């Protein structure tokens, strides 16, 4: 995905942020204003001023951003530094804290981290144990409630007390059982990483003092995206030295649906009264007329820090607003326009992005792109870590580090097949539940469990011996890659894949995924100099949170507006500019107006992805539930084009059709 090369010199605003004293500092960094450069240069400045690198903590939201920040800081400082600043995601930081202290909360030091699939398996078993009918509460519903509660710092007891509907009440009961199951399995989920770290720092003064005492300076990137737990963890870690620099843009706060609170950046000066504020408003990304559109739109949000993007670039074409009869015509005309662009200019497919609000919208564009023979990448497809073979091998590795992890144990108990039937597996789990012990502990005595045949019991004993042999092998610190290859051979995994998938092409693809996982272990060893299996698993499981498509592929990008944040493209097509899509129907029903504000910020993010050319489009009708229905143009079109003079009423008034219409035919 194209990224701009950073400008070589700091401007006056950036220099002010870099050289500000070590005190609370709010850097309001508008889209395309060089915030990553400011953060990394400030880190280098602090080190040159005498701060040991390891006394600096910088936190961001994706592993990719953390790696880029670490690389840029290294380039600024040059070789020869005896240590490095600690740059990571919030989740990675919390894993390190919990690895040091989680036993104080009653968890084992070698806890497992459950990903989404592990969570779903745990949710299903929880609902079965509680005998809750699927029509009352599905696993996905339960995880939605649990995630919402955890992001708000609400424990099971509080969730049950505050439940309003019958469904919420059932979910709160299941939440308590879900958490008990995780604890019994020696596991945490991704939301627990934050929640438990917050709980640890609040309840244990020694741990709080030790962790806060590791650093003299803390820098937080994308501060507008912090949720309640992240906000409170930051407060506790920075309370002593008060050298806290937060960088962000309230105008790009678009993750309220997953717990982010824009109020954190809005009230920073209230939380830290001595805070200095620096505004970065010089935009190095977009042409002036694109920024004019963005500035007019975002000004309709009242609760924001006052700022306006100023273009560093000149010239460029005015953004276009195109309307079409329906979504099929919109897709075909958009693709035709892109086809002409690629044919008539030096533009490459990877320089073009088609953005949309919902996951249902890209279908028509995919069809049109295939018909035109244009390459494309749909961002957000199946992750590498969702592939069966990768999940199987990761389950083995998880059990070697956390044998009580029953979700992973059950996945590999008969994978590849070793004669342990489904009824035998069920009997093992029932026996473990009755005994109050992990299933791993019962494997050597499986013959004593009713309904487990002698053949299955023998296989379970052999399986336990296999686990123990690899626990020993990996704990001895041998070569990680060699041990993984040895495991694949020992369990006959390659032969099993070949047996299950006789088609040569599919078999090669699946074994390729296995090879990629082993290569990832090799990369981990090379980058860290460590053979730690637990360290590799932590890095791998955390990396699943921000997987992106292959950026080297030369294809047109199709992605949601949420996925596009942080990226930029020479040519952007922002589609579906209609009431009910952007802003989304759910936000229109919110009488507080807060949801409309977030949708406006989302539209602003889409506009500011464009470097040179921006096209906005809408359909006059759209198929819904098999019927063609008329649409209403998005209110945002009126706001950004200056046709709406009543900003206070914009969130509640019904939009009208534009008086000026542009041709639906793409410009040649």
């Amino acid at each position: 995905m194209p990224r701009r090369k950073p400008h070589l010199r700091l401007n006056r605003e950036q220099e002010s942020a870099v050289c500000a004293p070590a005190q609370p500092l709010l850097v309001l960094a508008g889209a395309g204003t060089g915030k990553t450069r400011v953060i990394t240069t400030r880190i280098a400045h602090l080190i040159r001023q005498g701060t040991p690198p390891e006394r600096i903590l910088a936190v961001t939201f994706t592993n990719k951003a953390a790696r880029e920040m670490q690389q840029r800081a290294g380039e600024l400082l040059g070789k020869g530094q005896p240590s490095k600043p600690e740059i990571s995601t919030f989740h990675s930081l919390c894993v390190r804290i919990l690895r040091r202290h989680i036993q104080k909360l009653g968890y084992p030091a070698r806890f497992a981290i459950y990903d989404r699939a592990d969570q779903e398996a745990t949710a299903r078993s929880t609902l079965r144990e509680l005998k809750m009918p699927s029509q009352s509460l599905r696993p996905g519903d339960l995880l939605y409630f649990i995630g919402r509660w955890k992001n708000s710092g609400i424990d099971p007891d509080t969730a049950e007390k505050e439940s309003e509907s019958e469904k919420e009440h059932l979910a709160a009961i299941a939440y308590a059982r879900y958490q008990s199951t995780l604890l019994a399995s020696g596991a945490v989920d991704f939301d627990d990483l934050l929640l438990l770290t917050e709980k640890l720092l609040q309840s244990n003064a020694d741990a709080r003092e030790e962790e806060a005492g590791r650093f003299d300076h803390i820098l937080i990137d994308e501060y507008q995206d912090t949720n309640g737990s992240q906000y409170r963890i930051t407060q506790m870690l920075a309370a002593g030295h008060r050298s806290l620099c937060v960088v962000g843009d309230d105008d790009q706060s678009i993750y309220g649906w997953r717990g982010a609170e824009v109020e954190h950046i809005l009230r920073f000066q209230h939380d830290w009264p001595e805070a200095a504020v620096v505004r970065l408003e010089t935009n190095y990304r977009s042409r002036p007329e694109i920024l004019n559109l963005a500035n007019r739109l975002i000004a309709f949000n009242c609760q924001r820090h006052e700022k306006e993007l100023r273009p560093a670039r000149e010239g460029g074409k005015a953004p276009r607003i195109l309307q079409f009869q329906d979504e099929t015509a919109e897709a075909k005309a958009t693709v035709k326009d892109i086809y002409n662009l690629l044919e008539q200019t030096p533009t490459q497919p990877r320089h073009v992005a088609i953005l949309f609000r919902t996951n249902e919208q890209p279908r028509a564009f995919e069809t049109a792109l295939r018909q035109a023979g244009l390459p494309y990448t749909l961002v957000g497809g199946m992750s590498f870590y969702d592939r069966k073979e990768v999940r199987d091998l990761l389950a083995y590795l998880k059990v070697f580090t956390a044998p009580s992890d029953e979700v992973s144990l059950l996945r590999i108990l008969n994978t590849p097949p070793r004669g342990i039937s489904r009824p035998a597996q069920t009997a093992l789990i029932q026996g473990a539940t009755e005994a109050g012990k992990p299933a791993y502990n019962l494997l050597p005595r499986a013959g004593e469990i009713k309904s487990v045949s002698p053949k299955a019991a023998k296989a379970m004993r052999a399986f336990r011996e296999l686990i123990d042999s690899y626990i020993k092998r990996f704990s001895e610190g041998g070569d990680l890659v060699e041990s993984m290859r040895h495991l694949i051979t020992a369990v006959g995994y390659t032969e099993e894949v070949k047996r299950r998938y006789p088609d040569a092409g599919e078999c090669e693809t699946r074994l390729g995924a296995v090879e990629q996982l082993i290569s990832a272990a090799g990369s981990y060893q090379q980058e860290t100099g460590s053979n730690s299996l637990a360290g590799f698993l932590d890095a791998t499981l955390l990396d699943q949170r921000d997987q992106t498509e292959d950026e080297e592929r030369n294809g047109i990008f199709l992605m949601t507006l949420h996925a596009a944040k942080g990226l930029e493209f020479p040519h952007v097509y922002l589609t579906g500019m209609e009431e009910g899509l952007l802003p989304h129907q759910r936000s229109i029903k919110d009488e507080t107006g807060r949801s409309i504000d977030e949708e406006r910020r989302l539209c602003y993010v889409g506009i500011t992805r464009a470097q040179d050319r921006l096209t906005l489009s809408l359909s006059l009708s759209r198929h819904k539930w098999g019927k063609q229905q008329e649409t209403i143009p998005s209110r945002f079109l009126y706001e950004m084009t200056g046709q709406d003079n009543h900003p206070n009423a914009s969130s509640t008034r019904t939009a009208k059709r534009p008086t000026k219409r542009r041709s639906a035919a793409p410009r040649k």
Side-chain angles (χ1 to χ4, degrees), residues 587-602:
S587 67
I588 296 172
K589 296 177 180 178
D590 179 8
E591 296 180 359
T592 68
R594 289 166 57 92
S595 296
I596 289 290
D597 285 353
E598 180 153 324
E599 291 289 302
R600 188 176 288 108
R601 294 193 291 266
L602 191 57

Side-chain angles (χ1 to χ4, degrees), residues 27-102:
V27 180
L28 294 168
T33 57
K35 70 178 179 63
T36 303
R37 180 174 174 79
V38 165
I39 294 171
T40 52
T41 308
R42 181 168 173 82
I43 290 171
H45 173 75
L46 291 170
I47 293 171
R48 288 174 183 144
Q49 293 290 106
T51 301
E54 70 276 9
R55 301 291 299 172
I56 298 173
L57 170 67
V59 184
T60 186
F61 277 81
T62 68
N63 289 302
K64 182 179 177 182
R67 286 192 292 267
E68 181 183 355
M69 210 177 286
Q70 189 73 262
Q71 179 184 349
R72 288 205 200 177
E75 290 170 354
L76 288 170
L77 292 166
K79 296 180 180 179
Q81 287 290 337
S83 59
K84 294 181 180 179
E86 192 164 308
I87 301 177
S88 71
T89 64
F90 265 107
H91 286 88
S92 296
L93 170 67
C94 291
V95 167
R96 291 193 296 275
I97 292 173
L98 292 176
R99 289 290 179 206
R100 292 188 281 263
H101 302 287
I102 199 170

Side-chain angles (χ1 to χ4, degrees), residues 36 150 212 253 343 377 413 422 440 445 505 608:
T36 303
K150 287 187 177 182
S253 179
E343 285 285 306
T377 295
L413 189 57
R422 181 71 65 182
Y440 166 81
R445 298 184 289 107
T608 54

Side-chain angles (χ1 to χ4, degrees), residues 239-361:
H241 54 70
R242 300 184 76 79
S243 178
L244 173 64
C245 170
V246 303
V247 183
D249 182 9
D250 48 298
D251 290 337
Q252 295 186 76
S253 179
I254 60 173
Y255 297 117
W257 50 275
R258 69 181 189 195
E261 297 180 39
V262 69
E263 289 79 7
H264 296 158
I265 195 168
L266 292 176
R267 69 175 186 228
F268 185 81
Q269 291 164 277
H270 177 268
D271 293 337
W272 307 86
E274 74 272 38
V277 180
V278 177
R279 287 172 169 80
L280 305 183
E281 298 177 296
T282 304
N283 176 286
Y284 294 90
R285 175 186 299 160
S286 305
R287 299 289 184 182
E289 293 208 49
I290 294 172
L291 295 183
N292 288 340
L293 224 59
N295 285 328
R296 278 200 296 267
L297 173 69
I298 202 62
F300 279 73
N301 275 6
C302 298
Q303 298 297 315
R304 60 185 290 264
H305 287 289
E306 196 66 34
K307 54 189 170 304
E308 185 170 300
L309 294 176
R310 300 187 302 268
R313 304 175 70 199
E314 297 178 350
K317 296 180 179 179
R320 301 175 298 169
I321 300 176
L322 307 178
Q323 58 186 24
F324 305 97
Q325 190 57 44
D326 57 27
E327 68 268 36
T328 302
E330 180 185 35
K332 287 182 177 179
T334 299
V335 170
K336 182 180 178 182
D337 194 44
I338 295 171
Y339 186 91
N340 291 338
L341 180 69
L342 299 176
E343 285 285 306
Q344 299 167 12
T345 70
T347 304
Q348 295 293 312
R350 66 176 178 274
H351 297 153
V352 181
I354 301 173
L355 308 183
F356 40 84
R357 174 63 179 86
T358 71
N359 287 314
E360 292 74 36
Q361 289 173 255

Side-chain angles (χ1 to χ4, degrees), residues 595-652:
S595 296
I596 289 290
D597 285 353
E598 180 153 324
E599 291 289 302
R600 188 176 288 108
R601 294 193 291 266
L602 191 57
C603 185
Y604 173 83
V605 165
I607 292 169
T608 54
R609 299 313 93 194
Q611 294 170 299
D612 299 319
R613 189 168 178 260
L614 172 66
T615 302
L616 303 108
S617 63
L618 66 148
S619 299
L620 299 178
S621 64
R622 192 171 287 271
H623 282 91
K624 295 178 181 178
W625 299 102
K627 294 182 179 180
Q628 195 81 1
Q629 297 183 18
E630 282 198 3
T631 65
I632 299 173
S634 170
R635 69 192 71 188
F636 300 152
L637 290 173
Y638 296 90
E639 295 172 358
M640 70 178 72
T641 55
Q643 296 184 51
D644 191 329
N645 298 316
H646 304 283
N648 293 331
S650 66
S651 63
T652 56

